[in-house]
Amino acid sequence: MIVPLSNVKNGQRVRIKCIDCGFGLKRRLCSLGLYDGTMVEVVKNDSRGPVLLKVLNSKVVIGRGQAMKILVEEVR
Amino acid sequence: MIPMDLKIKSSNNQRFFVSQKSSVSKTIKIALAGNPNVGKSTLFNTLTGTRQHVGNWPGKTIEKKHGCLKYKNKSIDIVDLPGTYSLTAYSEEEIITRNFIIEEKPDVIIHIVDAANIERNLYLAVQLIELRANLILALNFTAYAEKKGIKIHEKKISRLLGVPVVKIEANSKKDVDELLGLAVAASKKCTEPKKIRYGKEIQHHVSEIENLIINQIKLPSHLDSKWMAIKLLEHDDEVIGVLKSFKNSCQVLEEIAKVRRHLEAIYREDIDTIFAEARYAHIEGLVRESVTTDLQKNISLSDKIDSIVTHQIIGVPFFFLIMWLIFQVSFTLSQPLTWLIDHFFVFLRDKIILYLTSVSAPNWTISFIGDAVIGGVGSVLLFIPNIFMLFLAIALLEDTGYLARVAFIMDRLMHKIGLHGKSFIPLLLGFGCNVPAIMATRSLDSKKDRLLTILINPFMSCSARLPVYVLFASAFFPKDQGAVIFIIYLIGIAAAIASGLIFNRTLFKGLSSPLVMELPPYRIPTITGLVIHMWERGVSFIQKAGTVIFLLVVSTWLLGNLPFGVDYASQESLIGRAGMFIAPFFKPLGFGTWQASVALIQGFIAKEVIIGTFGAVYGVGSEGLASVLQNVFTPLSAFSFMVFVLLYVPCIATVAVIKKETNSWKWPLFTVLYTTLIAWLASLIVYQGGLLLGFI
């Protein structure tokens, strides 16, 4: 099932399917290791405020607005 | 040991993509590049020691640090490039970094890499190789990485990338010395890095475009055709701009657009993703062969701390506890120092006046030297203990990695006024002193966030304004002192929020900046790192703000003493006349006396001067001041005056630091006018509204 990253619960691992944003932000996300096909773990998502992710070996915070534009697929 | 021979070198101007033909010299130019939070500053400090030159990149508000040193009789010039994740044109830092590499052609670039997060870090390395930089990789935090179960075979990476790779701990003199030796050796011959493999399809089209550029366009020698080809394919606006300045560029660009569409159709991705995937795929292959990971499953200490400090409920109170401690500790520690400085200057002044009187110097000389010169220097230095302590506290928060967490937990709140969580710390520091607060905005990424945070910062009531509130509250609201002062602070916060909302919808309309940031792992900061951090910011405050403050103190003294023979700040003095002139403007606010006006003009120097000025103009000491004020102010006009003091022009130091941080006169002037306007309106509403409601 494909959902926006902002809807993913704590502790879940997901794979990025599609990032729907301007190329400026997209380049920034790429440089942090976030692009189509990468696996990320949602460390903290309190259904309000920004989302905390684990990408590669680092923790990355993404604003809620941006998290809504990232579509992901759950990984079992 | 590295023989230290540090010199200060002025930065030279640079323009976009203009090759700097360096004069013939044997100085080896080394640049440090790397992601943020990988120990780049630590490495720079270990290399250059404590004396280093900090300035700004020409025309930018981003810090540029460099230092010179000698290594085995060779002079070496080291530049610390801004921390970046990539070399696209996303941020000013990225543009500065790549323009520096293209234009200044450093002999060697040391790329410092966080060994615990090597994949993400190598993304920059790959782009540095694309840029044909003469690269050395320095793997930092290797011991920490190994503890986490990441083992790196640096020889293999070196072979696969074709660049020298060395493991270091950035604070170890021995390691860094070794690195320096390697850099000097590398400066003599360019390394030949292995080609980056993007995959056949992309490779083919990059070569196609490269050939097109070579055949159609006369590129100057410092621009690399392959790098240009990649960047053009990636639709890099800056590089496209450069290409457009050449003949035949239209055709070439058209052809490139065609290739881009072709690639996007094949891969069914946009071009940025295609290249990111290709680069990461290359890195993944490399890492697979040279890094063995056996990740420890137990939860790291960093994660444990994070689960507390970013907790939905505990996070915010914990943060306020930390801030309370910081204010307590920094003010308690700096108080004796402030007292010492204060008394030293009083002592010095007395001694000098005594001496000048004994040689029967004219009165005005005595006053000039005593009040203006020594008083002026004193009023600058009086700030210093407080400011240095707060700078130290910020450095501590920054270097441990906690600051990023604060940004995370405060983001939701700050979002409401169009800012990020990152802006919260500078605003909070404003309650201590607006000067370090405004300098702390350097940690913000986007220009808009910085400006907005700077502009609303003066409304955070700094500690210097408190004595004024205390005096008035105790004289007019003896029963509700605490509540009245609290309300004043709340009015300040309300003014900041309201201004934030207004600016967001007017000045900075449509400039939304997304929040994407890394939470660095927690680290124990080094003492040297903290002290250097504090020191360079503190000194830069003294240098830049100090001159302005001193000049204005002297000119206010002149205004108070001219024409010759008047009593200081009396009605006949220039400042008294100015007070008389502007007093009518304050009449609707309830305090239209020339004395109040003079106090407000003097308050521009520093808010705490207001009390002293009232003492001077009414000719009473601090003990009798309250009763005198009770005769000239009503409770309502006193409250109106307090509101005005809260909101009107920030002190000279703040204005000076706004000038410095925004690199223009426009914003400090705007701040002066805007805050005065807001103060006037707010006091008008308070006073006239109060009268209507029947208060006196």
Side-chain angles (χ1 to χ4, degrees):
Chain A
M1 202 174 64
I2 292 173
V3 289
L5 186 59
S6 50
N7 289 8
V8 179
K9 291 199 182 67
N10 288 353
Q12 236 165 26
R13 283 173 67 75
V14 291
R15 185 185 297 278
I16 297 178
K17 290 303 280 184
C18 163
I19 301 176
D20 176 27
C21 65
F23 62 84
L25 177 59
K26 192 165 252 176
R27 283 173 190 167
R28 174 62 154 209
L29 292 170
C30 283
S31 65
L32 287 166
L34 290 157
Y35 54 93
D36 297 6
T38 24
M39 297 279 294
V40 297
E41 184 191 327
V42 175
V43 178
K44 202 168 170 55
N45 180 4
D46 292 332
S47 68
R48 282 182 304 180
V51 180
L52 176 54
L53 305 172
K54 201 170 232 171
V55 191
L56 297 173
N57 262 330
S58 60
K59 285 180 179 171
V60 173
V61 170
I62 291 189
R64 185 138 221 102
Q66 288 77 54
M68 286 188 221
K69 295 175 183 163
I70 301 177
L71 297 179
V72 297
E73 182 185 46
E74 251 177 62
V75 179
R76 296 266 163 226
Chain B
M1 277 298 288
I2 307 163
M4 292 298 160
D5 176 21
L6 294 144
K7 277 172 265 165
I8 288 175
K9 191 184 162 236
S10 66
S11 35
N12 41 358
N13 278 326
Q14 54 181 111
R15 290 208 326 273
F16 181 68
F17 283 3
V18 180
S19 174
Q20 302 274 320
K21 290 260 165 21
S22 57
S23 54
V24 192
S25 71
K26 279 169 221 136
T27 312
I28 300 172
K29 253 197 271 182
I30 298 179
L32 303 185
N35 289 178
N37 309 306
V38 294
K40 205 158 57 65
S41 313
T42 313
L43 176 62
F44 184 71
N45 291 339
T46 317
L47 279 167
T48 60
T50 46
R51 289 198 297 139
Q52 40 189 260
H53 180 61
V54 187
N56 277 2
W57 290 90
K60 300 275 162 56
T61 51
I62 295 164
E63 258 174 29
K64 176 182 188 177
K65 290 202 239 173
H66 60 157
C68 306
L69 55 93
K70 277 239 174 354
Y71 177 83
K72 294 190 178 150
N73 284 331
K74 288 196 172 62
S75 36
I76 296 176
D77 194 359
I78 296 190
V79 177
D80 189 17
L81 294 169
T84 56
Y85 294 105
S86 182
L87 294 179
T88 59
Y90 173 80
S91 66
E92 278 194 326
E93 282 88 348
E94 294 182 4
I95 295 173
I96 287 174
T97 302
R98 69 181 203 188
N99 286 4
F100 181 84
I101 296 170
I102 296 171
E103 292 161 4
E104 307 243 342
K105 295 223 173 294
D107 298 302
V108 182
I109 291 188
I110 298 175
H111 176 204
I112 179 158
V113 167
D114 178 2
N117 192 8
I118 188 162
E119 272 187 75
R120 216 270 319 281
N121 278 247
L122 286 180
Y123 191 66
L124 179 63
V126 165
Q127 293 176 70
L128 286 166
I129 292 174
E130 283 173 0
L131 203 49
R132 294 272 166 107
N134 192 19
L135 203 62
I136 293 181
L137 286 193
L139 301 176
N140 195 20
F141 302 123
T142 35
Y144 173 76
E146 269 170 36
K147 225 163 76 190
K148 276 181 84 176
I150 302 166
K151 193 155 169 38
I152 300 174
H153 307 277
E154 75 268 31
K155 295 227 169 64
K156 271 189 191 159
I157 299 190
S158 173
R159 215 182 51 232
L160 291 168
L161 275 177
V163 302
V165 179
V166 62
K167 285 183 178 175
I168 61 160
E169 290 298 327
N171 53 9
S172 147
K173 210 95 193 139
K174 190 177 138 278
D175 287 5
V176 170
D177 203 24
E178 206 177 302
L179 174 67
L180 210 53
L182 205 64
V184 170
S187 72
K188 286 177 196 135
K189 58 170 178 58
C190 276
T191 48
E192 247 332 296
K194 295 270 161 54
K195 286 209 175 84
I196 311 288
R197 298 183 306 262
Y198 304 95
K200 252 193 189 146
E201 187 73 26
I202 300 176
Q203 200 60 60
H204 167 74
H205 289 293
V206 169
S207 311
E208 186 188 328
I209 294 172
E210 195 188 344
N211 286 333
L212 192 70
I213 295 173
I214 293 170
N215 292 332
Q216 301 279 338
I217 301 217
K218 279 204 176 105
L219 275 188
S221 63
H222 68 282
L223 292 176
D224 183 72
S225 54
K226 185 170 181 192
W227 182 75
M228 292 280 283
I230 294 171
K231 287 291 142 188
L232 288 167
L233 203 48
E234 283 187 297
H235 210 284
D236 187 296
D237 288 336
E238 288 239 341
V239 179
I240 290 177
V242 171
L243 193 80
K244 277 186 182 157
S245 64
F246 296 107
K247 239 167 68 181
N248 294 339
S249 62
C250 277
Q251 266 170 286
V252 175
L253 283 172
E254 244 168 64
E255 196 57 40
I256 290 168
K258 223 185 276 172
V259 173
R260 189 184 307 126
R261 279 196 298 273
H262 169 72
L263 279 174
E264 289 184 330
I266 299 179
Y267 286 89
R268 294 168 146 201
E269 301 272 15
D270 57 275
I271 198 76
D272 291 315
T273 311
I274 295 172
F275 269 97
E277 268 174 11
R279 289 185 185 119
Y280 275 113
H282 180 81
I283 294 165
E284 213 185 304
L286 193 144
V287 167
R288 207 182 301 132
E289 283 185 51
S290 55
V291 180
T292 45
T293 29
D294 173 25
L295 280 186
Q296 308 296 311
K297 280 287 167 233
N298 52 349
I299 302 164
S300 70
L301 184 64
S302 207
D303 285 342
K304 276 185 207 153
I305 299 173
D306 265 345
S307 66
I308 298 169
V309 303
T310 63
H311 191 273
Q312 213 174 351
I313 299 159
I314 310 169
V316 176
F318 179 81
F319 163 66
F320 279 106
L321 181 74
I322 297 276
M323 279 325 284
W324 182 80
L325 278 176
I326 283 176
F327 275 112
Q328 285 298 319
V329 171
S330 60
F331 281 94
T332 320
L333 286 182
S334 56
Q335 229 166 26
L337 283 171
T338 312
W339 184 88
L340 218 67
I341 293 174
D342 195 15
H343 280 72
F344 171 75
F345 276 97
V346 170
F347 170 81
L348 190 72
R349 193 174 146 243
D350 289 350
K351 283 282 170 234
I352 288 181
I353 288 178
L354 212 65
Y355 170 76
L356 287 175
T357 324
S358 74
V359 296
S360 53
N363 269 341
W364 68 268
T365 330
I366 298 176
S367 168
F368 179 76
I369 292 175
D371 296 330
V373 178
I374 299 176
V377 174
S379 67
V380 175
L381 293 185
L382 217 52
F383 276 109
I384 288 187
N386 257 330
I387 288 176
F388 270 61
M389 284 296 166
L390 283 174
F391 279 143
L392 186 67
I394 304 169
L396 189 71
L397 291 181
E398 232 174 350
D399 291 3
T400 50
Y402 183 58
L403 205 62
R405 272 75 185 176
V406 175
F408 174 68
I409 55 175
M410 287 299 167
D411 190 66
R412 199 157 53 87
L413 196 76
M414 298 305 292
H415 223 83
K416 297 195 169 125
I417 49 169
L419 283 170
H420 289 161
K422 277 187 171 182
S423 297
F424 192 77
I425 290 271
L427 291 178
L428 196 72
L429 286 173
F431 287 119
C433 176
N434 297 121
V435 172
I438 286 168
M439 287 172 89
T441 59
R442 283 179 194 175
S443 65
L444 305 180
D445 296 325
S446 89
K447 231 181 178 160
K448 172 225 159 185
D449 290 347
R450 272 201 79 182
L451 261 179
L452 189 53
T453 312
I454 288 173
L455 292 182
I456 66 176
N457 207 295
F459 293 135
M460 302 286 130
S461 186
C462 70
S463 58
R465 282 171 250 185
L466 188 59
V468 183
Y469 307 150
V470 172
L471 174 71
F472 276 82
S474 63
F476 294 95
F477 311 97
K479 282 186 196 141
D480 312 298
Q481 276 188 52
V484 166
I485 293 175
F486 187 65
I487 290 171
I488 290 287
Y489 274 85
L490 287 186
I491 292 174
I493 296 169
I497 294 175
S499 305
L501 289 172
I502 294 170
F503 290 152
N504 235 331
R505 279 165 183 67
T506 52
L507 283 177
F508 307 115
K509 204 174 165 188
L511 289 169
S512 78
S513 52
L515 172 74
V516 179
M517 70 172 182
E518 192 190 355
L519 291 191
Y522 289 102
R523 294 204 170 107
I524 297 169
T526 60
I527 306 272
T528 12
L530 289 180
V531 170
I532 288 175
H533 231 109
M534 170 189 82
W535 190 253
E536 68 195 20
R537 285 185 184 172
V539 168
S540 103
F541 163 73
I542 299 173
Q543 283 170 346
K544 299 287 167 53
T547 8
V548 179
I549 296 171
F550 180 72
L551 284 175
L552 276 158
V553 170
V554 171
S555 46
T556 342
W557 178 87
L558 285 174
L559 288 177
N561 279 288
L562 291 176
F564 278 114
V566 294
D567 282 340
Y568 181 63
S570 65
Q571 205 171 350
E572 292 77 35
S573 68
L574 285 182
I575 205 169
R577 289 182 208 175
M580 294 270 279
F581 179 72
I582 61 168
F585 292 101
F586 296 126
K587 198 145 180 62
L589 315 183
F591 43 88
T593 61
W594 70 268
Q595 291 96 334
S597 305
V598 168
L600 287 173
I601 297 173
Q602 295 272 41
F604 184 34
I605 297 173
K607 300 284 168 114
E608 61 264 42
V609 174
I610 291 173
I611 297 174
T613 310
F614 268 126
V617 291
Y618 287 119
V620 288
S622 50
E623 322 78 43
L625 197 53
S627 54
V628 173
L629 290 175
Q630 276 163 351
N631 291 330
V632 279
F633 282 91
T634 67
L636 182 61
S637 68
F639 189 72
S640 165
F641 186 78
M642 284 160 79
V643 171
F644 196 84
V645 169
L646 162 76
L647 299 173
Y648 90 120
V649 251
C651 66
I652 301 172
T654 307
V655 174
V657 90
I658 294 176
K659 152 82 180 63
K660 183 176 165 273
E661 292 298 312
T662 59
N663 213 359
S664 81
W665 278 108
K666 183 173 143 199
W667 295 111
L669 281 174
F670 175 80
T671 308
V672 169
L673 294 176
Y674 176 77
T675 50
T676 311
L677 180 72
I678 291 290
W680 194 84
L681 287 175
S683 293
L684 184 76
I685 293 168
V686 165
Y687 188 67
Q688 297 298 336
L691 284 180
L692 281 177
L693 292 173
F695 292 104
I696 46 154

